[in-house]
């Protein structure tokens, strides 16, 4: 059932928001493109160092991405207006919860929403997200750094802060294949 809902949007993802309007649904022509053209697993930045980019929470507390070296890190870029992003949040929250318990992998979901940063925390709560914190990147510094052009975008770093892979577009993060992908950072 999950894939029946997610499959049509997984090919397109969401592009950067250009206004306060809701993200438009993918066009029919987007489904004609192959998954490789619009989303998927990318390993062309493998070994790249974690960027020295800082983001914040709604209270203004700062966090440097590079300060999180020491354990594998899964960084997800998302936005409240991006339906595929929202569909992934419960699965990423489950990975974050398991990682918090086992100490194996940390998950950071960084909102790319511009304006109204206080609403991101409320949005997460209203969607039953319990472990992911409301990190904000309103200037889209991470999005520009990764240069994927689509949301959601997810990047895995190993414990030394080296990129393992990027995944552009929506994914079923609860699948066996996704579990194996995340394990590559261990």
């Amino acid at each position: 059932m999950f894939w029946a809902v997610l499959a049509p949007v997984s090919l397109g993802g969401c592009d950067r928001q250009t206004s306060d309007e809701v993200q438009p649904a993918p066009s029919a022509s987007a489904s004609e493109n192959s998954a490789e053209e619009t989303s998927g697993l990318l390993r062309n930045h493998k070994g790249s160092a974690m960027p020295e980019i800082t983001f914040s929470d709604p209270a203004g507390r700062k966090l440097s991405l590079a300060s999180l070296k020491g354990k594998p890190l899964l960084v997800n870029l998302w936005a409240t207006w991006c339906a595929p992003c929202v569909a992934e949040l419960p699965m990423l929250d489950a990975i974050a919860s398991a990682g918090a318990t086992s100490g194996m992998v940390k998950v950071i979901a960084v909102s790319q929403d511009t304006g109204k940063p206080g609403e991101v925390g409320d949005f997460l709560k209203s969607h039953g997200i319990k472990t992911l914190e409301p990190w904000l990147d309103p200037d889209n510094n991470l999005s520009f750094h990764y240069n994927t052009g689509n949301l959601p975008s997810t990047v895995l770093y190993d414990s030394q802060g080296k990129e393992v892979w990027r995944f552009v577009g929506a994914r079923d993060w609860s699948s066996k294949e996704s579990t194996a992908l995340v394990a590559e950072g261990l």
Side-chain angles (χ1 to χ4, degrees):
M1 177 66 178
F2 174 81
W3 279 107
V5 173
L6 187 58
V9 294
S10 68
L11 291 177
C14 295
D15 60 2
R16 289 190 191 103
Q17 186 180 21
T18 56
S19 70
D20 290 335
E21 295 178 11
V22 173
Q23 177 70 27
S27 66
S29 62
S31 63
E32 296 168 7
N33 294 333
S34 70
E36 292 80 20
E37 292 175 21
T38 57
S39 66
L41 185 64
L42 304 173
R43 295 183 185 271
N44 55 331
H45 294 279
K46 186 174 183 169
S48 297
M50 191 179 291
E52 296 282 338
I53 294 177
T54 301
F55 40 93
S56 63
D57 68 6
R61 180 177 59 137
K62 302 285 185 196
L63 179 64
S64 166
L65 191 62
S67 73
L68 299 172
K69 290 179 189 174
K71 73 162 63 170
L73 177 67
L74 192 65
V75 178
N76 176 262
L77 305 184
W78 70 286
T80 58
W81 46 264
C82 172
C85 300
V86 175
E88 287 185 336
L89 286 174
M91 294 175 280
L92 292 167
D93 195 50
I95 295 170
S97 179
T101 303
S102 69
M104 297 300 286
V105 66
K106 181 163 182 66
V107 180
I108 299 285
V110 184
S111 170
Q112 301 299 289
D113 286 281
T114 57
K116 303 179 187 162
E119 293 180 7
V120 173
D122 293 337
F123 183 88
L124 291 174
K125 286 179 189 171
S126 73
H127 285 78
I129 305 305
K130 294 179 172 61
T131 305
L132 294 175
E133 298 176 66
W135 292 108
L136 310 166
D137 181 25
D139 296 327
N140 298 140
N141 292 323
L142 281 170
S143 186
F144 289 123
H145 172 79
Y146 295 132
N147 196 30
T148 63
N150 283 330
L151 294 177
S153 290
T154 306
V155 182
L156 178 67
Y157 291 97
D158 64 19
S159 59
Q160 286 76 44
K162 302 295 184 185
E163 186 171 323
V164 178
W165 49 253
R166 295 177 188 190
F167 193 88
V168 180
R171 183 168 182 89
D172 177 0
W173 292 106
S174 64
S175 71
K176 288 180 185 179
E177 295 82 6
S178 293
T179 300
L181 276 177
V182 173
E184 289 182 26
L186 303 177

